[in-house]
């Protein structure tokens, strides 16, 4: 196996990447190789789907499969090798079907299908041992000797960014939001990678194009979320449990949560959000369920302790799952793209086994005396709703600067930076946040500036879309460029969705983003130099120095 | 005792436990102590029953280092196994730093110790002359009504009068109702067997568990070959039922051996299971059939001697799961070792305890 797609990848002085029998995340070599092969097959499908689309034959269920397949290979999503052998077979069938459709369309038009890249002709072996022997041709490092690590790294940037795009697009699809443009874009990106491009300039351009596609996808997801559940509103969320039976829901998929809330209505079971599901409370159509009682626990890397202590079953709807411990292995369930070998998987919103588990488990029998709450739900409509007072506050000098501190959380010790950073932001500044990185500081008493809270939780990582909308509106109000706003972005990344969002921000021309806790292993020094030259992208240093730099003064 | 002597007596050696999932867990162990006790003291749960070298539950292998092995039964650890560096943790005291290969995953070792619960008999069914199906209903605890375990694990049952505690593998799968199902062979003159002969519905028992590391290698995609002798079917039935619940895709076949037709049981259950797990192949092995038996004649070991080399020649490397009387287990272990499949074999022995 070789994998360097996430922030916690194995790093040493001479080499980066998880390359032994087991990745840092727990993904075993077999699963990693099968994932590479799946990507290879998806590229092959995309070659035909793209060509067929050009010839006027469109089938977006193919795109749906591409999204789902890509999503399963994100960090901390699916560790079940058996799931991948099944997906490889499905992919082979779909490739054949798409090839036939493409050929038929070409014949009809009297043209040739044309030469397609190697993955279009790849046939997976039916036997596991042989299949694994095919894996090297599908590795992310293919051609390293010939093209060098910059080009391989740029291809990786595009592939990983695309995985993030696919995850968001899949969530949007689950809420009925799809678009030809997005499917065409996903197909084109995969087909591009299939051709193993070698020109670094072209690759950088394509990466930015993918960033623009991701903006479109986040817009779709936003439409899905707000269309289905209403515009997020500032909402108090209880962080302490209440007495009674309990189910914990983690991950990003609001459609799964909605279905579960409906199925458990009036049953005396309380539903808690975990991790990236926290923003659910701010959507009126989810908040209306009285049994959606609160949020439990923090970011994903603490789940082993937290899930062990949770007195009910747990549902994982997307990343981030890590190895379920024996204490809760029998009461954790996966759904959608998520999987772990030997863990029960629920499909098609059939949550009855989960509900049965909740009834059999004790739930909370004691709760802390002191109830704790936080306020969330500062999506674009809430913030833009008070845009006048925000603009007023900026003009009057009451708000000097905005910081967007957000992204993923993780276990690396260096992530304390984000807590330090937020704690040290001056009283006349406002912190916007999104993603699960917020758990590092969302209980900090930052206070408010007039009516405006100093810490505004905008939602999930995909709600970067909201942040972009707000920034754009402010720029319009101040009649300035995005980069002239008193706004600094301090981004924390962990996995591939963050890569997608980063590409979007760069594609929008946003400069001087600080990225941490460490830079992606696939971004080589040369590529970093180019990104720094073009966008001022740079790694975080220390909270003090970065704050000072952002506020335009030297560190004390 | 001088301070020097005292510190020598208390000398703690550094022991590295190499777990099945490839992780290293260091513990300290004195020369006066055994490895099992030391691990327990340091918060690890390793399988054990007798703690006196007779059940084999605490089986492990010393990779390097000096140690002393105390008295133990040869059915728990044969002389050959001993030669190969295999040990019983409850009987092993270090004489220097040691590296020990254990058969558990680290996470399972760090799991909470098994708990004690009361239960009552809700079904007791005679399957053959000497085999019964026992079903227990556990009482609810503060942890809830369900029972959670991994397929293949066992619990110990203690008779109401106390004194007699025996290990039995669970034949059903984890569930939220708190039901446990067992397949028990009544050992002639056995104390548990004796009680069972006159047990009534509603009678209470104490249940302690789950325990044991005879569990599926869930991450493996290899075909799964199960070998059961007599009531050795119990843990394997649990595994197969779990595969059915999960709709596991691995090819599966079961070699189930008994002496003759009169000792066959659970056939209906197995055929129902095939509906859920269509890939399951059944090979019923009768050692000495009395009637006109169409199936395999001989022990499961003989059937494996026929089929395993063929499978290997086809390039198939099955995972082997094996449970039953010690003779069967030993025989299949030897066969698997000679075919280079020792690493792929997991087994449970129904030893007297
Ligand atoms: C991990 C584990 C799981 C087990 N699971 C099962 C199970 O699912 N089903 C099941 O039927 N049994 C199982 N056993 C065996 C069971 O624990 C008892 O040993 C068995 O039922 C005999 O108990 P008893 O009290 O009736 O006999 P005892 O009073 O203990 O013994 C009576 C006499 O029989 C001899 N004896 C006892 N057991 C055996 C044996 N297995 N082979 C040869 N001689 C023996 C004894 O040495 C003694 O002389 C398991 C054992 C272990 C260690
Ligand atoms: S996802 Fe991350 S931790 Fe897991 S194998 Fe890949 S780089 Fe390593
Ligand atoms: S923000 Fe990133 S790290 Fe956090 S839960 Fe979402 S995907 Fe995982
Ligand atoms: S616990 Fe060691 S042999 Fe029984």
């Amino acid at each position: 196996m070789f994998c360097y797609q996430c922030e916690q990848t194995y790093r040493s002085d001479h080499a980066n990447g998880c390359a032994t029998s087991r990745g840092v995340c727990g993904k075993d070599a077999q699963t990693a190789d099968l994932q590479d092969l799946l990507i290879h097959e998806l590229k092959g499908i995309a070659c035909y789907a793209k060509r067929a689309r050009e010839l006027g034959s469109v089938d977006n269920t193919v795109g749906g499969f591409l999204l789902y397949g890509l999503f399963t290979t994100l960090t901390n999503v699916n560790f079940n090798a058996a799931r991948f052998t099944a997906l490889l077979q499905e992919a082979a069938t779909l490739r054949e079907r798409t090839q036939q459709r493409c050929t038929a369309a070409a014949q009809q038009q009297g043209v040739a299908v044309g030469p397609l890249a190697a993955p279009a002709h790849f046939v997976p072996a039916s036997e596991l041992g042989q299949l694994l022997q095919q894996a090297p041709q599908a590795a992310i490092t293919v051609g390293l000797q010939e093209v060098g690590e910059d080009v391989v790294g740029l291809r990786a940037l595009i592939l990983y960014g695309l995985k993030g795009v696919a995850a968001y697009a899949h969530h949007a699809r689950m809420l009925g939001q799809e678009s030809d443009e997005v499917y065409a874009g996903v197909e084109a990106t995969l087909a591009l990678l299939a051709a193993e491009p070698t020109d670094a300039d072209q690759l950088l351009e394509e990466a930015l194009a993918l960033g623009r596609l991701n903006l479109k996808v986040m817009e779709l997801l936003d439409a899905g979320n707000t269309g289905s559940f209403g515009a997020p509103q500032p909402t108090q969320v209880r962080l302490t449990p209440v007495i009674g039976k309990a189910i914990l829901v983690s991950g990003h998929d609001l459609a799964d949560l909605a279905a579960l809330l409906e199925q458990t209505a009036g049953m005396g079971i309380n539903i808690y959000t975990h991790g990236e599901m926290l923003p659910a409370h701010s959507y009126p159509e989810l908040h209306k369920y009285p049994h959606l009682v609160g949020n439990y626990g923090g970011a994903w890397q603490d789940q082993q302790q937290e899930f062990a202590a949770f007195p009910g079953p747990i549902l994982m709807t997307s990343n981030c799952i890590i190895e379920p411990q024996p204490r809760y292995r029998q009461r954790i369930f996966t759904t959608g793209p998520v999987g772990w070998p030997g863990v029960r998987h629920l499909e098609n919103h059939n949550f009855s086994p989960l509900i049965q588990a909740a009834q059999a488990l004790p739930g909370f029998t004691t709760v802390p005396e002191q109830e704790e709450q936080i306020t969330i739900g500062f999506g674009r409509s809430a913030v833009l709703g008070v845009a006048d007072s925000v603009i007023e506050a900026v003009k009057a000098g009451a708000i000097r600067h905005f910081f967007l501190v957000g992204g993923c959380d993780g276990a690396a010790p260096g992530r304390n930076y984000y807590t330090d950073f937020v704690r040290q932001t001056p009283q006349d500044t406002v912190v916007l946040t999104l993603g699960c990185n917020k758990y590092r500081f969302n209980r900090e008493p930052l206070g408010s500036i007039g009516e405006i809270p100093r810490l505004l939780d905008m939602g999930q990582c995909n709600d970067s879309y909201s942040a972009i909308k707000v920034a754009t509106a402010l720029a319009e109000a101040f009649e300035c460029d995005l980069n002239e706003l008193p706004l600094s972005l301090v981004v924390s990344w962990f996995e591939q969705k963050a890569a997608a969002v980063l590409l979007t921000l760069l594609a929008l021309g946003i400069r001087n983003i600080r990225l941490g806790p460490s830079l992606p292993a696939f971004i080589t020094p040369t590529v970093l130099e180019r990104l720094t030259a073009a966008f001022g992208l740079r790694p975080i240093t220390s909270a003090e120095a970065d704050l000072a730099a952002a506020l335009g003064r030297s560190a004390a | 005792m001088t301070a020097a002597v005292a510190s020598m007596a208390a000398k703690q050696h550094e022991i590295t436990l190499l777990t099945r999932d490839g992780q290293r867990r260091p513990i300290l162990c004195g020369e006066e102590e055994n490895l099992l006790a030391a691990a327990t003291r340091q918060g690890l749960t390793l399988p054990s029953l007798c703690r006196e070298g007779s059940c084999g539950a605490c089986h492990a292998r010393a990779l390097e280092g000096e140690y002393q092995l105390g008295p133990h039964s040869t059915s728990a650890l044969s002389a050959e196994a001993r030669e190969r560096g295999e040990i019983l943790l409850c009987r092993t005291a270090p004489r220097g730093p040691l590296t020990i290969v254990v058969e558990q995953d680290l996470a399972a070792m760090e799991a909470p110790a098994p708990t004690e619960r009361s239960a009552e008999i809700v079904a007791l069914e005679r399957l053959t002359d000497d085999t019964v199906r026992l079903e227990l209903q556990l009482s609810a605890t503060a942890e809830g009504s369900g029972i959670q375990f991994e397929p293949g694990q066992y619990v110990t049952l203690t008779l109401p009068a106390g004194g007699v505690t025996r290990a039995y593998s669970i034949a059903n799968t984890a569930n939220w109702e708190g039901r446990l199902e067992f397949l028990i062979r009544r050992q002639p003159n056995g104390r548990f067997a004796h009680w069972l002969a006159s047990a009534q519905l509603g009678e209470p028992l104490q249940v302690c568990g789950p325990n044991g590391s005879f569990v599926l290698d869930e991450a493996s995609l290899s075909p799964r070959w199960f070998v059961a002798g007599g009531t050795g079917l119990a843990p394997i039935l649990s595994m197969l039922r779990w595969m059915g619940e999960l709709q596991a895709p691995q090819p599966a076949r079961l070699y189930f051996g008994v002496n003759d037709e009169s000792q066959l049981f659970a056939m209906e259950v197995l055929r129902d299971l095939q509906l859920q797990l269509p890939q399951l192949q059944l090979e019923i092995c009768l050692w000495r059939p009395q009637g006109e038996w169409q199936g395999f004649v001989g022990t499961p070991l003989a059937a494996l001697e026929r089929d395993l080399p063929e499978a290997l020649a086809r390039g198939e490397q099955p995972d082997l799961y094996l449970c039953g009387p010690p003779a069967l287990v030993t025989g299949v272990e030897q066969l698997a070792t000679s075919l280079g499949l020792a690493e792929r074999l997991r087994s449970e022995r129904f030893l007297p305890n």
Side-chain angles (χ1 to χ4, degrees):
Chain A
M1 77 176 279
F2 180 83
C3 180
Y4 64 165
Q5 67 178 354
C6 80
E7 192 269 336
Q8 68 179 358
T9 194
Y10 178 79
R11 294 173 201 249
S12 77
D13 289 343
H14 20 272
N16 290 333
C18 296
T20 57
S21 61
R22 197 178 151 107
V24 175
C25 61
K27 178 164 77 179
D28 63 26
Q30 184 170 270
T31 307
D33 288 349
L34 295 173
Q35 289 185 350
D36 285 350
L37 284 167
L38 178 61
I39 301 283
H40 201 64
E41 284 200 66
L42 297 182
K43 288 178 191 168
I45 297 171
C47 288
Y48 288 108
K50 173 175 177 274
R51 183 71 182 119
R53 195 178 285 275
E54 288 162 4
L55 296 168
S57 168
V58 175
D59 177 359
N60 283 338
T61 60
V62 174
F65 183 83
L66 297 178
L67 301 182
Y68 179 86
L70 285 163
F71 197 170
T72 59
T73 71
L74 256 76
T75 300
N76 290 347
V77 173
N78 203 317
F79 295 81
N80 191 359
R83 186 75 193 99
F84 288 100
T85 51
L87 277 172
L88 284 169
Q89 296 311 322
E90 278 177 57
T93 314
L94 186 60
R95 212 265 338 251
E96 228 157 86
R97 233 179 53 210
T98 313
Q99 180 176 2
Q100 282 160 9
R101 181 165 58 84
C102 183
T103 312
Q107 267 165 5
Q108 215 169 25
Q109 311 239 341
V111 296
V113 169
L116 296 178
H121 312 292
F122 172 77
V123 181
S126 55
E127 196 270 322
L128 179 67
Q130 291 164 354
L131 198 55
L132 292 173
Q133 278 172 13
Q134 291 178 316
Q137 59 182 294
I140 187 74
T141 46
V142 142
L144 181 64
Q145 299 302 326
E146 300 84 57
V147 300
E149 57 176 11
D150 293 341
V151 165
V152 165
L154 282 165
R155 289 177 190 165
L157 173 64
I158 294 177
L159 175 62
Y160 298 158
L162 181 65
K163 290 185 180 192
V165 172
Y168 291 149
H170 173 81
H171 287 307
R173 183 165 182 264
M174 290 297 106
L175 294 166
Q177 294 288 333
E178 304 178 84
S179 97
D180 279 329
E181 181 189 347
V182 169
Y183 289 128
V186 169
E187 287 162 9
T189 311
L190 279 169
L192 170 89
L193 291 171
E196 296 180 359
T198 54
D199 178 22
D201 293 328
Q202 183 209 355
L203 281 163
L204 257 180
E205 260 324 302
E206 294 288 351
L208 296 177
L210 184 63
R212 285 187 287 277
L213 183 70
N214 188 50
L215 183 61
K216 178 77 202 163
V217 168
M218 291 196 297
E219 185 185 348
L220 275 183
L221 180 50
D222 182 275
N225 285 339
T226 56
S228 309
F229 309 118
Q233 290 170 6
T235 308
Q236 296 256 305
V237 180
R238 180 201 296 267
L239 298 182
T240 43
V242 291
I243 288 191
K245 304 279 184 192
I247 296 177
L248 188 60
V249 185
S250 188
H252 301 70
D253 202 306
L254 297 182
D256 286 331
L257 177 67
L260 180 65
L261 284 167
E262 197 52 45
Q263 289 176 33
T264 48
M267 294 181 87
I269 298 172
N270 294 322
I271 311 290
Y272 295 81
T273 56
H274 174 264
E276 275 281 79
M277 202 53 93
L278 165 62
H281 295 273
S282 65
Y283 289 90
E285 289 301 309
L286 297 171
H287 185 66
K288 73 175 185 196
Y289 293 96
H291 62 302
L292 180 62
V293 293
N295 189 69
Y296 174 88
W300 64 273
Q301 69 277 6
D302 301 328
Q303 69 185 248
Q304 288 177 329
Q305 286 73 34
E306 290 171 354
F307 290 179
F310 188 79
I314 301 137
L315 178 68
M316 299 302 293
T317 70
S318 70
N319 38 354
C320 295
I321 187 172
I322 49 182
E323 181 175 6
Q325 298 296 296
R327 279 170 201 257
Y328 61 89
R329 214 186 166 97
Q330 303 282 347
R331 56 183 164 90
I332 186 167
F333 297 79
T334 60
T335 189
V338 193
W340 194 281
V343 163
R344 290 187 177 89
H345 186 76
L346 308 176
E347 277 297 351
N348 306 320
H349 291 170
N350 174 14
F351 294 132
S352 44
L354 179 74
I355 295 169
Q356 202 197 358
Q359 282 161 334
L361 287 160
F364 287 99
T365 50
T366 57
V367 292
E369 263 174 37
Q370 201 67 39
E371 192 183 309
E372 204 184 334
Q373 299 204 326
I374 54 168
T375 306
I376 63 158
F378 297 95
R380 67 193 152 87
S381 70
V383 176
L384 293 179
V386 294
D388 290 347
S389 39
V390 172
I391 292 164
E392 212 40 58
V394 174
K395 285 190 173 150
I399 299 179
R400 173 160 51 128
H401 204 86
F402 295 90
F403 296 100
L404 177 69
V405 187
C408 302
D409 204 3
R415 289 183 183 270
N416 278 339
Y417 165 94
Y418 297 95
T419 319
D420 296 344
F421 189 97
V422 169
R423 279 193 185 144
Q424 292 175 29
T425 52
Q427 283 302 322
D428 53 359
T429 60
V430 169
V431 177
L432 306 167
T433 187
L434 43 84
C436 68
N437 175 252
K438 67 169 74 89
Y439 286 101
R440 297 229 164 224
F441 46 76
N442 68 352
R443 290 154 101 151
E444 295 289 321
L446 290 198
S448 56
I449 300 173
E451 302 278 274
I452 305 158
R454 285 197 52 229
L455 181 66
L456 299 175
D457 182 346
M458 303 194 83
Q460 297 179 330
C461 44
N462 44 284
D463 291 313
S464 326
Y465 176 72
S466 241
I468 290 166
K469 281 283 153 199
V470 167
T472 312
L474 288 179
E476 269 168 31
F478 293 116
E479 295 175 357
C480 70
D481 175 86
L482 277 179
N483 286 311
E484 290 161 1
L485 282 175
L487 167 69
S488 306
L489 281 76
V490 187
V491 176
S492 157
W493 88 286
F494 172 67
E495 43 83 299
Q496 299 76 46
K497 285 186 257 183
V501 172
L502 183 67
L503 290 177
T504 302
L505 297 174
L506 297 182
L508 288 169
I510 295 176
R511 294 184 54 84
N512 300 326
I513 298 172
R514 296 275 179 177
L515 185 62
S518 62
L519 294 181
F522 50 86
I523 302 240
T524 58
T526 328
V527 173
L528 179 63
E529 237 170 71
R530 295 193 57 172
L531 292 175
T532 309
F535 302 104
L537 179 74
R538 66 192 90 186
I540 58 169
T541 61
S542 73
E544 294 77 10
D546 291 353
L547 254 174
L551 294 171
R553 54 178 165 76
S554 59
Chain B
M1 210 165 31
T2 66
V5 173
S7 84
M8 256 177 71
K11 185 167 171 53
Q12 300 269 314
H13 293 296
E14 228 177 85
I15 316 293
T16 305
L17 301 180
L18 262 180
T19 65
R20 185 165 63 189
D21 54 339
Q23 316 214 44
R24 290 170 170 269
R25 172 69 156 85
I27 59 166
L28 290 175
C29 182
E31 297 198 355
E32 305 294 303
E33 209 178 5
N34 67 64
L35 295 174
L36 181 69
T40 311
R41 182 167 55 74
Q42 284 156 75
L44 297 179
T45 313
L46 286 158
S48 68
L49 288 170
C50 67
R51 311 221 168 101
E52 52 180 41
S54 52
C55 75
C58 63
H59 179 267
R61 186 161 56 89
L63 202 61
E64 51 192 22
E66 303 269 310
Y67 57 91
Q68 176 127 31
L69 200 57
H72 57 270
S73 106
T74 48
S75 57
L77 187 71
S78 68
E80 297 158 297
R82 225 183 123 151
E83 282 303 303
R84 289 194 298 265
E86 291 173 36
I87 57 167
L88 297 171
L89 294 172
C90 72
R91 283 304 197 211
T92 307
R95 291 292 175 264
L98 273 178
T99 304
I100 304 289
V101 182
V102 294
E103 290 157 16
Q104 291 72 41
D105 295 340
L106 182 61
M109 289 161 51
E110 286 176 337
T115 53
E116 182 117 13
R117 286 170 76 173
S118 55
E120 62 169 58
I121 301 180
V122 288
L124 189 57
E125 192 186 337
R126 227 186 84 179
L127 301 177
T128 73
D129 273 353
D130 60 5
T131 312
V132 296
R133 189 183 84 88
L134 170 70
E135 199 175 331
L136 300 180
Q137 172 66 52
L138 291 161
S139 55
T141 69
E143 304 293 306
S145 56
I147 173 76
Q148 304 307 316
F149 55 90
E150 288 202 55
Q153 287 193 299
Y154 64 87
V155 293
T156 58
L157 303 182
T158 301
L159 296 186
V164 179
T165 298
R166 298 287 180 267
Y168 292 102
S169 303
I170 311 166
N172 61 339
T173 55
N175 60 82
W176 302 110
E177 294 82 23
R179 288 289 173 115
L180 287 176
E181 187 185 331
F182 305 94
L183 300 172
I184 300 178
R185 185 176 111 80
R186 288 208 306 258
Q187 192 64 34
N189 306 319
R191 292 173 64 191
F192 196 92
H194 178 73
W195 172 83
L196 209 51
S198 59
Q200 302 293 321
L201 294 188
E203 256 186 88
L205 274 171
Q206 281 300 112
V207 177
C208 185
N211 216 329
S213 54
F214 180 54
V215 294
L216 288 168
D217 179 359
E218 301 267 16
S220 169
L221 292 179
S222 302
R224 293 171 176 172
W225 287 23
F226 299 91
V227 185
T231 51
L233 182 65
I236 284 173
L237 195 54
S238 177
M239 291 174 172
L240 289 170
R241 284 171 158 164
W242 178 244
M243 283 182 72
E245 278 176 38
L246 238 63
Q247 287 298 295
Q250 290 85 350
R253 58 165 84 180
L254 167 66
Y255 295 87
F256 176 35
V258 295
N259 286 339
D260 58 40
E261 291 90 337
S262 72
Q263 297 202 348
L264 263 184
F265 59 92
M267 293 311 293
E268 209 169 310
V269 177
L270 289 172
R271 276 192 281 270
D272 282 351
L273 198 61
Q274 276 182 310
L275 297 179
Q276 235 189 323
L277 205 61
Q279 78 266 38
L280 175 63
Q281 296 175 26
L282 289 179
E283 184 73 279
I284 310 299
C285 311
L286 295 192
W287 187 36
R288 289 179 176 155
Q290 303 297 310
E292 284 182 23
W293 174 247
Q294 305 293 322
F296 185 82
V297 178
T299 63
L301 174 60
L304 279 175
E305 280 166 343
R306 177 196 63 185
D307 294 348
L308 252 186
E310 260 178 49
L312 289 173
R314 282 197 305 271
E316 202 173 298
Q317 295 249 324
D319 292 338
L320 295 171
Y321 296 91
L322 169 61
C323 182
L328 174 67
V329 175
T330 308
V332 177
E333 274 177 1
Q334 280 166 356
L335 174 67
T337 308
S338 71
L339 293 172
L341 288 176
E343 293 281 302
R344 295 182 163 266
L345 182 132
R346 293 184 177 190
S347 64
E348 184 87 284
R349 279 164 213 260
F350 284 179
L351 291 166
N353 48 87

